Amino acid sequence: MKIINEIYTIRMHYFILMVFYLSSSTQLRGQNWERTLGTEDNQVCVYDIVEHYDHGYLIGARLNDNIAPQGTMDISDIIYKTDINGNILWFRNYRSEDALSIRGCKMYSDGSVIVATNYFDYFNDLWDIRIYRIGVCGDILWCKHYIDPFGKGYKVFDLEIINDKIVFVRERFGELEPPKYTLVMLELDGDTYCEKPFLLKETYPLMYSPMVYKIQPLPNNELMALGAVYYPKEPGGRNWIRSMFVKFDADGNEQWMLPFGLNDTLIGMYSNCENIIVEDSGRYFAFGAIYRFPQKMLLMKFDDQGNELGHVISPIDSVFGYPHPSFNGVHKIGDNRYLNLLQYPKNESVSHLGSTLVVVDSSLNTFYDTLFTNTTKCLSFSWIKSYDDKYLLSGYDVQSNDIQGYYNKVSLDPLSFDTMYTAPYTYDSLCPDIAYADTLYFEDCELHVGENDIQFEEPTKTPLLLYPNPTHDELTVSLGKATHISTISITIHTLTGEVHWREDMLPGEQTTRLSTHSWPKGIYLVTARMGNEVVGREKVVVM
């Protein structure tokens, strides 16, 4: 894979502005650990935060910038490296010819980081998935690009590293057929370990519109996918949205799916930052809310076989003078003590959403401690525990005319934003050179179409011109001004590898036309070969 690593004068000017703006927009609120990212010229949406090997932090975010140089896309991935106090040390901005929208990043034991991002193909108007690994200094080690062979598009919402395997859920746009969800496991070098469809309609015939938003590691290298699903209490009944939990064994085999509340027609909510508590061997706690009015805080209990063990609905109707509270993330901090992210609308349009950290027990009738955040409408996606038993929450704050990345770090007893560390720390000791702010451009990635790999390691020698593209009735394939003294074979195949058309262009022939009127709609790969050598390759869309 080739990476273009060039900084033009205008790009350097952009970085200077970025560093100035970011340093000015991440000042402490007092001397406590609560931070924002973003300026009037850009929007930053934080989707993940990880503790780095040197006790600094890596923040994975989507950057929407309005001062991008001409000719580059304005939606991209950005990884910020901070010190232990949240001060930005450097960042790496990852860009492509299309839009990148990061959804998760996790660190491996060697300090490298695996990133999952959604890639929007402007030409084909489709979402793809890109998984890539960056080194301790942010350099790109490898990249995999996943394209849906059915032409509907893929997306990813989260990523984990479990037992030296990269784990993510690949979601296909559309309904359940063909399989909508696939659990993908990769080796650390990016090679596929397994791909296993789950949430199949034949397994759960009453299921409708499942949604997966989070992956959570469990003991013994098992895992659980968290989300929501529409599910009736009985066949023919009304489909209610319910919190959904899907259990997998260590090999990625689906064990069961629980749409919580079937026994009591209880309608549970889900959240992007949700995580479950392994309360003891074979028993789980999940915190959320009931999806009815008045909305109330909810504790769901179930066992390791997917059986419900009851639930607790909080007697509290309103919090701090506002109705409809819900839990949106949890950590267990002691015996029958849970640190929860509590959110509640402050107006009918929900343009102002209160976010408060609270400590509760399993009865849900008392707040033992509270900490208000300085946010307008905070959407949270990641909540981790640090090596020194502090808790870091990250997401982004939606304000009336701006979106800013948000992250905080809190201490317990009493619940408060953490104070600044004054002891000296050494950062980036594993970097061979000084780490610095930079932009890295993807030129190409290893292409995966369904379960097939298509290698684009080297640029091709012969430019293929396809027009019109997209097409409907007829396609022209041209070699342009390129001359050839040997026969060139043109092959068009589907994304599943089926050869759909083939023709030889003899020496002196530069153009051929073919009818696509009866072809199924979709994306096709056009390949030009001279003998066994691939000399040209392009994609065409048949509408």
Side-chain angles (χ1 to χ4, degrees), residues 11 30 33 61 71 109-110 161 188 199 206 220 224 281 288 309 335-336 369 391 403 424 447:
R11 174 61 70 183
W33 221 105
S109 58
D110 64 355
I161 301 176
L188 293 173
L199 292 178
L206 300 183
N220 303 316
M224 191 173 290
S281 178
L309 299 177
D335 185 26
N336 197 24
D369 206 348
Y391 297 87
I403 297 177
L447 185 64

PDB file of all heavy atoms in Angstrom, residues 11 30 33 61 71 109-110 161 188 199 206 220 224 281 288 309 335-336 369 391 403 424 447:
ATOM      1  N   ARG A  11      -0.948  23.569   3.006  1.00  0.00           N
ATOM      2  CA  ARG A  11      -1.256  22.602   4.049  1.00  0.00           C
ATOM      3  C   ARG A  11      -0.547  22.969   5.351  1.00  0.00           C
ATOM      4  O   ARG A  11      -1.098  22.844   6.434  1.00  0.00           O
ATOM      5  CB  ARG A  11      -0.857  21.208   3.574  1.00  0.00           C
ATOM      6  CG  ARG A  11      -0.989  20.130   4.626  1.00  0.00           C
ATOM      7  CD  ARG A  11      -2.409  19.988   5.103  1.00  0.00           C
ATOM      8  NE  ARG A  11      -3.255  19.411   4.090  1.00  0.00           N
ATOM      9  CZ  ARG A  11      -4.545  19.238   4.230  1.00  0.00           C
ATOM     10  NH1 ARG A  11      -5.142  19.625   5.332  1.00  0.00           N
ATOM     11  NH2 ARG A  11      -5.265  18.704   3.266  1.00  0.00           N
ATOM     12  N   GLY A  30     -11.430  26.214  34.563  1.00  0.00           N
ATOM     13  CA  GLY A  30     -10.791  26.280  35.867  1.00  0.00           C
ATOM     14  C   GLY A  30      -9.499  25.503  35.778  1.00  0.00           C
ATOM     15  O   GLY A  30      -8.764  25.592  34.818  1.00  0.00           O
ATOM     16  N   TRP A  33     -10.348  18.857  34.776  1.00  0.00           N
ATOM     17  CA  TRP A  33     -10.131  18.075  33.561  1.00  0.00           C
ATOM     18  C   TRP A  33     -11.439  17.936  32.784  1.00  0.00           C
ATOM     19  O   TRP A  33     -12.105  16.909  32.832  1.00  0.00           O
ATOM     20  CB  TRP A  33      -9.618  16.704  33.956  1.00  0.00           C
ATOM     21  CG  TRP A  33      -8.530  16.118  33.114  1.00  0.00           C
ATOM     22  CD1 TRP A  33      -7.212  16.021  33.437  1.00  0.00           C
ATOM     23  CD2 TRP A  33      -8.684  15.490  31.840  1.00  0.00           C
ATOM     24  NE1 TRP A  33      -6.530  15.365  32.442  1.00  0.00           N
ATOM     25  CE2 TRP A  33      -7.404  15.024  31.442  1.00  0.00           C
ATOM     26  CE3 TRP A  33      -9.746  15.270  30.987  1.00  0.00           C
ATOM     27  CZ2 TRP A  33      -7.187  14.365  30.242  1.00  0.00           C
ATOM     28  CZ3 TRP A  33      -9.532  14.622  29.781  1.00  0.00           C
ATOM     29  CH2 TRP A  33      -8.257  14.175  29.417  1.00  0.00           C
ATOM     30  N   ALA A  61     -11.350  10.967  16.154  1.00  0.00           N
ATOM     31  CA  ALA A  61     -12.433  11.903  15.860  1.00  0.00           C
ATOM     32  C   ALA A  61     -12.630  12.059  14.360  1.00  0.00           C
ATOM     33  O   ALA A  61     -11.748  11.754  13.554  1.00  0.00           O
ATOM     34  CB  ALA A  61     -12.140  13.274  16.487  1.00  0.00           C
ATOM     35  N   GLY A  71      -9.189  21.126  -3.488  1.00  0.00           N
ATOM     36  CA  GLY A  71      -8.872  19.839  -4.073  1.00  0.00           C
ATOM     37  C   GLY A  71      -8.867  18.688  -3.094  1.00  0.00           C
ATOM     38  O   GLY A  71      -8.653  17.548  -3.478  1.00  0.00           O
ATOM     39  N   SER A 109      -1.130  -3.951  22.439  1.00  0.00           N
ATOM     40  CA  SER A 109      -0.135  -3.896  23.515  1.00  0.00           C
ATOM     41  C   SER A 109       1.178  -3.254  23.092  1.00  0.00           C
ATOM     42  O   SER A 109       1.933  -2.770  23.941  1.00  0.00           O
ATOM     43  CB  SER A 109       0.120  -5.307  24.059  1.00  0.00           C
ATOM     44  OG  SER A 109       0.562  -6.174  23.025  1.00  0.00           O
ATOM     45  N   ASP A 110       1.482  -3.218  21.788  1.00  0.00           N
ATOM     46  CA  ASP A 110       2.737  -2.612  21.329  1.00  0.00           C
ATOM     47  C   ASP A 110       2.610  -1.100  21.107  1.00  0.00           C
ATOM     48  O   ASP A 110       3.553  -0.460  20.650  1.00  0.00           O
ATOM     49  CB  ASP A 110       3.243  -3.295  20.061  1.00  0.00           C
ATOM     50  CG  ASP A 110       2.295  -3.119  18.871  1.00  0.00           C
ATOM     51  OD1 ASP A 110       1.205  -2.542  19.054  1.00  0.00           O
ATOM     52  OD2 ASP A 110       2.649  -3.570  17.766  1.00  0.00           O
ATOM     53  N   ILE A 161     -10.315  -5.062  20.203  1.00  0.00           N
ATOM     54  CA  ILE A 161      -9.250  -6.050  20.059  1.00  0.00           C
ATOM     55  C   ILE A 161      -9.430  -7.053  21.184  1.00  0.00           C
ATOM     56  O   ILE A 161      -9.341  -6.697  22.365  1.00  0.00           O
ATOM     57  CB  ILE A 161      -7.854  -5.399  20.120  1.00  0.00           C
ATOM     58  CG1 ILE A 161      -7.700  -4.358  19.012  1.00  0.00           C
ATOM     59  CG2 ILE A 161      -6.771  -6.467  20.003  1.00  0.00           C
ATOM     60  CD1 ILE A 161      -6.383  -3.607  19.057  1.00  0.00           C
ATOM     61  N   LEU A 188      -3.889  -9.538  13.437  1.00  0.00           N
ATOM     62  CA  LEU A 188      -3.307  -8.215  13.660  1.00  0.00           C
ATOM     63  C   LEU A 188      -2.625  -7.652  12.415  1.00  0.00           C
ATOM     64  O   LEU A 188      -2.370  -6.440  12.355  1.00  0.00           O
ATOM     65  CB  LEU A 188      -2.320  -8.271  14.828  1.00  0.00           C
ATOM     66  CG  LEU A 188      -2.962  -8.547  16.194  1.00  0.00           C
ATOM     67  CD1 LEU A 188      -1.890  -8.765  17.250  1.00  0.00           C
ATOM     68  CD2 LEU A 188      -3.890  -7.411  16.596  1.00  0.00           C
ATOM     69  N   LEU A 199     -27.806 -12.720  13.492  1.00  0.00           N
ATOM     70  CA  LEU A 199     -29.131 -12.104  13.467  1.00  0.00           C
ATOM     71  C   LEU A 199     -29.855 -12.418  12.168  1.00  0.00           C
ATOM     72  O   LEU A 199     -30.401 -11.545  11.495  1.00  0.00           O
ATOM     73  CB  LEU A 199     -29.043 -10.583  13.676  1.00  0.00           C
ATOM     74  CG  LEU A 199     -28.593 -10.104  15.070  1.00  0.00           C
ATOM     75  CD1 LEU A 199     -28.499  -8.586  15.103  1.00  0.00           C
ATOM     76  CD2 LEU A 199     -29.546 -10.601  16.143  1.00  0.00           C
ATOM     77  N   LEU A 206     -39.424 -13.422  14.260  1.00  0.00           N
ATOM     78  CA  LEU A 206     -40.238 -12.300  14.741  1.00  0.00           C
ATOM     79  C   LEU A 206     -39.451 -10.990  14.788  1.00  0.00           C
ATOM     80  O   LEU A 206     -40.023  -9.927  15.049  1.00  0.00           O
ATOM     81  CB  LEU A 206     -40.790 -12.607  16.137  1.00  0.00           C
ATOM     82  CG  LEU A 206     -41.690 -13.845  16.266  1.00  0.00           C
ATOM     83  CD1 LEU A 206     -42.218 -13.975  17.695  1.00  0.00           C
ATOM     84  CD2 LEU A 206     -42.839 -13.777  15.276  1.00  0.00           C
ATOM     85  N   ASN A 220     -13.197 -14.590  29.341  1.00  0.00           N
ATOM     86  CA  ASN A 220     -12.887 -15.778  28.537  1.00  0.00           C
ATOM     87  C   ASN A 220     -12.897 -15.483  27.035  1.00  0.00           C
ATOM     88  O   ASN A 220     -13.212 -16.365  26.225  1.00  0.00           O
ATOM     89  CB  ASN A 220     -13.876 -16.911  28.849  1.00  0.00           C
ATOM     90  CG  ASN A 220     -13.885 -17.284  30.319  1.00  0.00           C
ATOM     91  OD1 ASN A 220     -12.833 -17.399  30.944  1.00  0.00           O
ATOM     92  ND2 ASN A 220     -15.070 -17.444  30.883  1.00  0.00           N
ATOM     93  N   MET A 224     -20.060  -9.425  23.444  1.00  0.00           N
ATOM     94  CA  MET A 224     -21.481  -9.162  23.303  1.00  0.00           C
ATOM     95  C   MET A 224     -21.671  -7.935  22.430  1.00  0.00           C
ATOM     96  O   MET A 224     -20.942  -6.948  22.548  1.00  0.00           O
ATOM     97  CB  MET A 224     -22.128  -8.939  24.677  1.00  0.00           C
ATOM     98  CG  MET A 224     -23.654  -8.911  24.647  1.00  0.00           C
ATOM     99  SD  MET A 224     -24.374  -8.861  26.319  1.00  0.00           S
ATOM    100  CE  MET A 224     -23.985 -10.524  26.894  1.00  0.00           C
ATOM    101  N   SER A 281     -20.464 -14.268  38.103  1.00  0.00           N
ATOM    102  CA  SER A 281     -20.381 -15.343  37.127  1.00  0.00           C
ATOM    103  C   SER A 281     -21.761 -15.675  36.570  1.00  0.00           C
ATOM    104  O   SER A 281     -22.653 -16.109  37.281  1.00  0.00           O
ATOM    105  CB  SER A 281     -19.758 -16.581  37.783  1.00  0.00           C
ATOM    106  OG  SER A 281     -19.711 -17.645  36.862  1.00  0.00           O
ATOM    107  N   GLY A 288     -30.447   1.501  31.343  1.00  0.00           N
ATOM    108  CA  GLY A 288     -31.015   2.245  30.231  1.00  0.00           C
ATOM    109  C   GLY A 288     -32.217   3.044  30.676  1.00  0.00           C
ATOM    110  O   GLY A 288     -32.178   3.741  31.681  1.00  0.00           O
ATOM    111  N   LEU A 309     -33.722 -12.004  34.114  1.00  0.00           N
ATOM    112  CA  LEU A 309     -33.746 -12.213  35.563  1.00  0.00           C
ATOM    113  C   LEU A 309     -34.487 -11.097  36.281  1.00  0.00           C
ATOM    114  O   LEU A 309     -34.299 -10.902  37.480  1.00  0.00           O
ATOM    115  CB  LEU A 309     -32.316 -12.325  36.102  1.00  0.00           C
ATOM    116  CG  LEU A 309     -31.471 -13.479  35.546  1.00  0.00           C
ATOM    117  CD1 LEU A 309     -30.064 -13.417  36.108  1.00  0.00           C
ATOM    118  CD2 LEU A 309     -32.121 -14.831  35.851  1.00  0.00           C
ATOM    119  N   ASP A 335     -19.041  -2.230  45.492  1.00  0.00           N
ATOM    120  CA  ASP A 335     -20.094  -3.177  45.806  1.00  0.00           C
ATOM    121  C   ASP A 335     -21.446  -2.466  45.762  1.00  0.00           C
ATOM    122  O   ASP A 335     -21.708  -1.558  46.558  1.00  0.00           O
ATOM    123  CB  ASP A 335     -19.855  -3.781  47.190  1.00  0.00           C
ATOM    124  CG  ASP A 335     -20.863  -4.863  47.525  1.00  0.00           C
ATOM    125  OD1 ASP A 335     -21.398  -5.485  46.583  1.00  0.00           O
ATOM    126  OD2 ASP A 335     -21.124  -5.086  48.721  1.00  0.00           O
ATOM    127  N   ASN A 336     -22.275  -2.855  44.798  1.00  0.00           N
ATOM    128  CA  ASN A 336     -23.601  -2.253  44.588  1.00  0.00           C
ATOM    129  C   ASN A 336     -23.514  -0.734  44.409  1.00  0.00           C
ATOM    130  O   ASN A 336     -24.389   0.015  44.869  1.00  0.00           O
ATOM    131  CB  ASN A 336     -24.548  -2.583  45.744  1.00  0.00           C
ATOM    132  CG  ASN A 336     -26.007  -2.347  45.362  1.00  0.00           C
ATOM    133  OD1 ASN A 336     -26.376  -2.369  44.191  1.00  0.00           O
ATOM    134  ND2 ASN A 336     -26.837  -2.102  46.363  1.00  0.00           N
ATOM    135  N   ASP A 369     -24.036  10.562  44.578  1.00  0.00           N
ATOM    136  CA  ASP A 369     -23.126  11.647  44.211  1.00  0.00           C
ATOM    137  C   ASP A 369     -23.505  12.100  42.810  1.00  0.00           C
ATOM    138  O   ASP A 369     -24.057  11.327  42.007  1.00  0.00           O
ATOM    139  CB  ASP A 369     -21.673  11.177  44.245  1.00  0.00           C
ATOM    140  CG  ASP A 369     -20.700  12.322  44.496  1.00  0.00           C
ATOM    141  OD1 ASP A 369     -21.132  13.492  44.419  1.00  0.00           O
ATOM    142  OD2 ASP A 369     -19.512  12.038  44.758  1.00  0.00           O
ATOM    143  N   TYR A 391     -11.959   7.963  35.227  1.00  0.00           N
ATOM    144  CA  TYR A 391     -12.904   7.609  34.164  1.00  0.00           C
ATOM    145  C   TYR A 391     -12.956   8.720  33.127  1.00  0.00           C
ATOM    146  O   TYR A 391     -13.167   9.886  33.468  1.00  0.00           O
ATOM    147  CB  TYR A 391     -14.288   7.346  34.758  1.00  0.00           C
ATOM    148  CG  TYR A 391     -14.288   6.164  35.707  1.00  0.00           C
ATOM    149  CD1 TYR A 391     -13.983   6.335  37.064  1.00  0.00           C
ATOM    150  CD2 TYR A 391     -14.547   4.880  35.249  1.00  0.00           C
ATOM    151  CE1 TYR A 391     -13.950   5.257  37.928  1.00  0.00           C
ATOM    152  CE2 TYR A 391     -14.515   3.790  36.105  1.00  0.00           C
ATOM    153  CZ  TYR A 391     -14.210   3.982  37.451  1.00  0.00           C
ATOM    154  OH  TYR A 391     -14.166   2.908  38.307  1.00  0.00           O
ATOM    155  N   ILE A 403     -20.508  22.354  16.532  1.00  0.00           N
ATOM    156  CA  ILE A 403     -20.306  21.020  17.107  1.00  0.00           C
ATOM    157  C   ILE A 403     -18.859  20.947  17.566  1.00  0.00           C
ATOM    158  O   ILE A 403     -17.945  21.191  16.788  1.00  0.00           O
ATOM    159  CB  ILE A 403     -20.602  19.907  16.091  1.00  0.00           C
ATOM    160  CG1 ILE A 403     -22.064  19.933  15.666  1.00  0.00           C
ATOM    161  CG2 ILE A 403     -20.253  18.546  16.674  1.00  0.00           C
ATOM    162  CD1 ILE A 403     -22.407  18.897  14.618  1.00  0.00           C
ATOM    163  N   PRO A 424       6.554  15.162  36.142  1.00  0.00           N
ATOM    164  CA  PRO A 424       7.010  15.080  34.746  1.00  0.00           C
ATOM    165  C   PRO A 424       6.751  13.689  34.161  1.00  0.00           C
ATOM    166  O   PRO A 424       6.894  12.675  34.844  1.00  0.00           O
ATOM    167  CB  PRO A 424       8.509  15.364  34.849  1.00  0.00           C
ATOM    168  CG  PRO A 424       8.879  14.961  36.247  1.00  0.00           C
ATOM    169  CD  PRO A 424       7.676  15.282  37.095  1.00  0.00           C
ATOM    170  N   LEU A 447      -8.315  -4.172  -1.294  1.00  0.00           N
ATOM    171  CA  LEU A 447      -9.762  -4.147  -1.498  1.00  0.00           C
ATOM    172  C   LEU A 447     -10.368  -5.506  -1.197  1.00  0.00           C
ATOM    173  O   LEU A 447      -9.905  -6.529  -1.701  1.00  0.00           O
ATOM    174  CB  LEU A 447     -10.073  -3.744  -2.935  1.00  0.00           C
ATOM    175  CG  LEU A 447     -11.534  -3.545  -3.303  1.00  0.00           C
ATOM    176  CD1 LEU A 447     -12.134  -2.395  -2.515  1.00  0.00           C
ATOM    177  CD2 LEU A 447     -11.668  -3.294  -4.802  1.00  0.00           C
TER     178      LEU A 447
END
